[in-house]
Each structure stands twice: as structure tokens, then as C-alpha cells.
């Protein structure tokens, strides 16, 4: 079981419109995600994708995996800022067993070989 | 940005009523690329959006400003996030979110924790996140000199 991989997918692209929709739905008003001037003044070329938006996409990819009956816990580390429009690939694999009936899945969202978000989920297998 | 040094103790921010409002859940699901379905499971990351509820945000900001001395041009940079749910949340259901805050530590890192309980006071899950409070001048410098 350890080493079993989730299907690798391209996460839905987070462009300006998607980020705007996410900010409206989530209530997040961090200027780095909504204001290009604020992002530029902080040294970025444009707004950044909210890490939570990507984390939410990763969670739903995991939940859609037929072998995942239920996500019990998910933690993500936002390793690097993600510029708007970055194409991200989500991969995952089982790395450990946890308490009875629970399994640990390592998740990544990467641009090429560069991991931008690193996650670890505890799931109940179907 | 200024920060007191003795900020290691966990401080309660309050207990807030929260809900999985159907319209907000639909918009949240659509924004993350999921086909909204009120009969289906609530997006796993949805509870984090409660932290942006006006009364919760105001309480968190007040806590930081009053007890941590945070003010001025500071960017909250999200370092990590955890979500744990003992059972899926339900659309239309009311919950309570108990929030506590720790920090900032000398590096300007704040930890926020939340406990989710159901209407029957059962513990259903938790949230945890760390924010780095970065002075705007520091952010400019870091991003000019970073890799």
C-alpha cells in the first residue's frame, strides 16, 4: 500500500478571475491576492494565488480519489509564493499508515520539479 | 512593526457562531473548481473561510493590535495551514468556532488555533495556521534579494 500514487493532475488554473471569485467567496482580503499595486510594492510582479485556494483544490483532488473514503486531516506548508497564472501539477502518494484504519498521503503542488505547496493528509481508505 | 517579546502564551480570542451557508459554500466550491452540490460534501477547506467573517476578523485584528502591538504596514504571509474534521460538515448546519492566538514570537510569527464544535457541543474538528507578519519594507527587500 505504501507508495501507491494518486492520479497526477493539473490543478484548475488560478487566473485573475478565479482568484477574484475565491476572494469573494472566502472573504480573504489580503492585498497580495487582490491588489497588483500592493503585490508590486512587496516585490512581486503581480498578485499571488492564495495558498488556501490551492490547498482547497488539492483536498478536493484527494477526496475525488476512489480509494479515499474520507479526509480526516490535511496540513499544508506554503513553501513559496505562487504567482497568478502559475500552472501547478498535483501529485500524491501514500507514505505511511497511521492509527487503525488511517493512512498518510503526501501531496505536492509543483511547477515543474519545483514544489510550491507541500501537504500531508490523513485519510480513511475506502 | 513592533512586537512584544513575551507573547508565547495562548490567548483566547473568543467563541463565534459560524455556519455553512449554502450560497457561500456554492461560491467557494465553484471558485476552487468543484461543481457545487448542496447535497454533496462541503469542500474540506471551507471552514478556513470562517476566519474572514467580519466579527472574527475584527476580533483577531483587535487582539493583535491590542496585545501584540501590531500596527502599520504589515503583510500577513500565510506559512502553513491545518484542518482536521472528525466528520464532514453539513450545509445549513450551525457550529461554534473557539479561537485562540499565540504570538507573535520574536520572528513575528503568529499561530492561530480554532476548535469546531457542533450544536450539541461535540468536538468536530480543528483549524491551525501560522502567519508571518512581515513589515512591508522587509518584504520589498526579501523579494529583491531572494532567489
Amino acid at each position: 500500500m505504501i507508495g501507491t500514487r494518486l492520479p497526477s493532475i493539473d490543478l484548475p488554473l488560478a487566473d485573475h478571475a478565479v482568484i477574484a471569485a475565491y476572494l469573494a467567496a472566502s472573504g480573504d482580503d489580503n492585498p497580495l491576492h487582490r491588489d497588483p499595486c500592493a503585490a508590486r510594492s512587496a516585490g512581486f510582479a503581480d498578485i499571488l494565488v492564495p495558498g488556501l485556494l490551492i490547498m482547497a483544490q488539492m483536498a478536493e483532488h484527494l477526496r475525488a480519489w476512489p480509494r479515499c473514503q474520507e479526509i480526516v486531516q490535511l496540513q499544508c506548508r506554503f513553501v513559496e509564493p505562487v504567482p497568478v497564472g502559475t500552472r501547478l501539477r498535483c501529485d500524491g502518494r501514500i507514505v505511511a499508515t497511521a492509527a487503525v484504519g488511517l493512512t498518510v498521503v503526501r501531496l505536492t503542488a509543483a511547477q515543474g520539479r519545483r514544489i510550491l505547496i507541500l501537504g500531508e493528509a490523513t485519510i480513511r481508505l475506502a | 512593526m513592533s512586537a512584544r517579546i513575551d507573547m508565547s502564551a495562548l490567548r483566547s480570542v473568543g467563541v463565534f457562531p459560524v455556519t455553512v451557508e449554502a450560497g457561500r459554500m456554492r461560491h467557494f466550491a465553484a471558485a476552487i473548481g468543484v461543481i457545487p452540490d448542496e447535497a454533496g460534501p462541503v469542500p474540506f477547506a471551507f471552514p478556513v473561510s470562517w476566519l474572514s467573517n467580519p466579527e472574527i476578523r475584527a476580533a483577531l485584528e483587535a487582539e493583535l493590535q491590542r496585545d501584540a502591538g501590531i500596527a502599520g504596514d504589515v503583510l500577513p504571509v500565510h506559512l502553513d495551514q491545518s484542518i482536521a474534521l472528525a466528520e464532514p460538515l453539513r450545509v445549513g448546519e450551525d457550529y461554534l468556532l473557539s479561537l485562540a492566538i499565540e504570538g507573535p514570537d520574536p520572528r513575528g510569527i503568529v499561530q492561530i488555533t480554532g476548535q469546531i464544535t457542533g450544536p450539541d457541543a461535540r468536538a468536530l474538528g480543528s483549524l491551525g495556521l501560522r502567519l508571518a507578519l512581515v513589515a512591508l519594507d522587509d518584504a520589498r527587500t526579501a523579494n529583491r534579494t531572494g532567489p
Side-chain angles (χ1 to χ4, degrees), chain B residues 6 23 84 86 97 100 122:
Chain B
D6 58 340
L97 180 62
R122 255 183 329 130

Side-chain angles (χ1 to χ4, degrees), chain A residues 6 16 20 26 33 37 43 45-46 75 80-82:
Chain A
L6 275 74
H16 285 86
S26 69
H33 304 313
C37 292
D46 202 340
Q75 50 193 25
E80 290 191 35
V82 181

Side-chain angles (χ1 to χ4, degrees), chain A residues 80-104:
Chain A
E80 290 191 35
V82 181
V84 59
T86 301
R87 295 195 178 278
L88 294 173
R89 189 90 181 154
C90 182
D91 289 283
R93 74 181 179 96
I94 295 175
V95 293
T97 54
V100 177
L102 298 178
T103 298
V104 180

Side-chain angles (χ1 to χ4, degrees), chain A residues 29 41-42 63 74 76 78, chain B residues 42 57 79 81 83 140 143:
Chain A
D29 74 343
S41 76
R63 186 142 71 177
L74 174 62
C76 282
F78 307 119
Chain B
V42 174
R57 189 203 321 241
L79 299 177
Q81 176 73 53
I83 306 165
R140 290 189 189 110
N143 287 301

Side-chain angles (χ1 to χ4, degrees), chain B:
Chain B
M1 183 179 76
S2 63
R4 294 196 328 217
I5 301 300
D6 58 340
M7 285 292 114
S8 59
L10 203 64
R11 312 185 299 280
S12 173
V13 177
V15 180
F16 303 89
V18 291
T19 187
V20 182
E21 195 267 320
R24 186 174 182 182
M25 189 282 291
R26 278 197 307 272
H27 288 117
F28 187 94
I32 65 172
V34 175
I35 297 170
D37 177 6
E38 288 178 28
V42 174
F44 189 79
F46 181 84
V48 180
S49 71
W50 289 332
L51 298 176
S52 297
N53 288 2
E55 68 279 15
I56 293 177
R57 189 203 321 241
L60 286 170
E61 288 177 354
E63 181 70 22
L64 283 171
Q65 288 167 3
R66 182 181 59 243
D67 287 347
I70 299 299
D73 282 342
V74 174
L75 289 172
V77 177
H78 209 151
L79 299 177
D80 50 46
Q81 176 73 53
S82 68
I83 306 165
L85 290 175
E87 60 186 72
L89 301 180
R90 299 178 191 284
V91 174
E93 201 70 44
D94 296 322
Y95 302 96
L96 290 174
L97 180 62
S98 306
L99 285 175
I101 193 168
E102 183 178 351
D105 67 11
R107 297 174 299 158
I109 293 176
V110 173
Q111 182 154 344
I112 297 169
T113 58
Q115 302 297 323
I116 303 167
T117 52
D120 53 0
R122 255 183 329 130
L124 294 182
S126 63
L127 304 174
L129 68 147
R130 288 190 313 144
L131 299 172
L133 303 176
V134 180
L136 201 50
D137 286 345
D138 293 343
R140 290 189 189 110
T141 304
N143 287 301
R144 283 197 194 106
T145 59

Side-chain angles (χ1 to χ4, degrees), chain A residues 1-12:
Chain A
M1 183 196 335
I2 290 176
T4 302
R5 292 183 179 277
L6 275 74
S8 178
I9 65 156
D10 291 324
L11 292 174

